Amino acid sequence: QKVADSTECGTTAAIASTVPATSAELPKHVPYLLIGGGTAGFSAFRAIKSNDPRAKVLMITNESRKPYMRPPLSKELWYSAEKGEVTKDYRFKQWTGAERSLFFEPEEFFVDPTKLMETVNGGIAVAQGFTVKKIDPAKHIVTLADGYEITYDECLIATGCAPKSLDVFAQATPGVKEKVMVYRSPDDFERLKRYADEKKSITIVGNGFTGSELACSLANYAKDKKVKIYQIFPESGNMSKVLPTYLSNWTTAKVESMGVCVMPETSIKNAQRDEAALKLVLNNGKSLLTDVVVVCVGCEPNTSIALTSGLEVDKSLGGFVVNAELEARRNLFVAGDASCFYDPLLGRRRVEHHDHSVVSGRLAGENMVGKKKAYNHQSMFWSDLGPEVGYEGIGLVDASLRTVGVFALPTSNPEPRTDNLTETAVMEGGGSGSTVTVNPETPDVKCDPKDADEYGRGVIFYMKDDKIVGILLWNLFNRIGLARTIINQNKKYDDLNEVAKLFEIHA
Ligand code: NAD
Ligand code: NAD
């Protein structure tokens, strides 16, 4: 199994000279085996290495790249692209101003997989372009697609998830299909950038994280180009599964003001090839000619190896069922999007966000070196509508729950952003032991969101059984530790306005 250079979409990523031509060149046995080359897998490696400095770690990924992070692909990378600054290693400028690459480490950091077992100091070797088909948890054997077997002492499944498509496209002709894409990788970024540079119309389907972030980023990228950006979804507003209706409506208006033609309550009935373009027949009887459709309608965890390996998948949430230590079987762990874990506070969950991948990957890595820790950390997520509007969330941030929002009017003095991509930032603050005290010095804040003409800064509480189970911080940064503390307290508050004061939204 040889890794092909991924030039199909014009990517500039280099393929390491250390990629073995066949699986036979891979080690027969490794102490630590990581399946999946994403954030959760790499985070596990870092935890293993810091606890076992000479650890020999083999990562197997069916991608043709070294481990990289995904969040900038729908956000900052487009702003660097606009300035013509995208480099071979996908460097980008964070909203904080700091510059970094999508890749966690440069090529030189990695050990040649064929030499991993001979190295004295250990390290991580990445077997790129290899797919795992089966695990034998009892015998500790991982089998690759070509039948090659590798035995392990400790193994992690960090296979992430794969974007879904829509039936209307899955059953379409090849001519239609070649105009439809999903969005998750640097190849997808390259392909979409080419469309934005050359074509007249791009249609995004879906109102969730990818669809809404990408719509804003593309609109900014395309502002001096001829391409028009459409966003279609059946719901009434952007991010309607996450934001309360008033904020979802506000967000939709904001996305429109950025130049996106947003079409809520719209779905695609039929898609036909119309010479060079695609003709989408919509539920409202209208049709839309577009050069490409980007389907962003959620993703499904990659659990195909569960059946061949005798592992349990959660029937309603998806993902491999794991215990509190993130173990599916003895010495076999699961982290990231693919892990369905038990949260002692909020029940069984599966979380699809970067920070969860970092934190669960780290905990799995620690347990792979024998720490025996339980996963009870509340991970967070963040999203934005370009550089001006950003939000962070923690716990059950679910628009179907009752919410209470407290906002301050916008000021001309925006808050400095959190740097969520550095590993230390995501862990700081919080802890279940602290108690919340109300600061009486803080001035009164608005309690009814309808009073706010504009949603400048604010905090939204998501309520279940009169307890706060989720918190969203709107244009309010560096306070996620406090939000975590409040959720961990798991108690009823008489006056949420008093709790809101703790967030110093007027500060
Ligand atoms: P991931 O998708 O980054 O990594 C999974 C890896 O496993 C991929 O490299 C995949 O190719 C590989 N893989 C899957 N099945 C395999 C098999 N059988 N054999 C070998 N390799 C296999 O997932 P992750 O590590 O859980 O974390 C990524 C995080 O980033 C997620 O939490 C996700 O929700 C988040 N995310 C963020 C954004 C954004 O903010 N724009 C976009 C997408 C994803
Ligand atoms: P998502 O779950 O955020 O949103 C999917 C949206 O598609 C939902 O709003 C849903 O209502 C809609 N949808 C579902 N079925 C549909 C259908 N048949 N027709 C039309 N719409 C339909 O997923 P996403 O935006 O595709 O993102 C993919 C993954 O990457 C998710 O796991 C997401 O959490 C992750 N991601 C995270 C971030 C972040 O943390 N900031 C950013 C980008 C992506």
Side-chain angles (χ1 to χ4, degrees), residues 36 39-40 62-63 70-71 74-75 132 159 184 337 352-353 357:
T39 301
N62 54 18
E63 290 194 73
R70 299 189 191 275
S74 49
K75 306 182 189 76
V132 169
T159 46
R184 197 166 167 91
D337 288 8
E352 296 177 355
H353 292 291
S357 291

Side-chain angles (χ1 to χ4, degrees), residues 406-408 436-446 457 459 476 479 482 495-507:
V406 180
F407 288 85
V436 170
T437 50
V438 175
N439 176 6
E441 301 304 314
T442 320
D444 272 338
V445 286
K446 282 177 182 289
R457 295 172 189 172
V459 53
L476 219 48
R479 291 157 171 84
L482 171 62
D495 187 351
L496 289 176
N497 205 28
E498 291 298 301
V499 185
K501 285 180 183 172
L502 298 169
F503 288 89
E504 299 183 345
I505 58 181
H506 289 285

Side-chain angles (χ1 to χ4, degrees), residues 382-405:
W382 75 96
S383 184
D384 51 57
L385 313 168
E388 285 168 23
V389 178
Y391 52 96
E392 300 182 346
I394 189 160
L396 298 182
V397 178
D398 175 346
S400 67
L401 298 170
R402 183 170 77 84
T403 63
V404 177

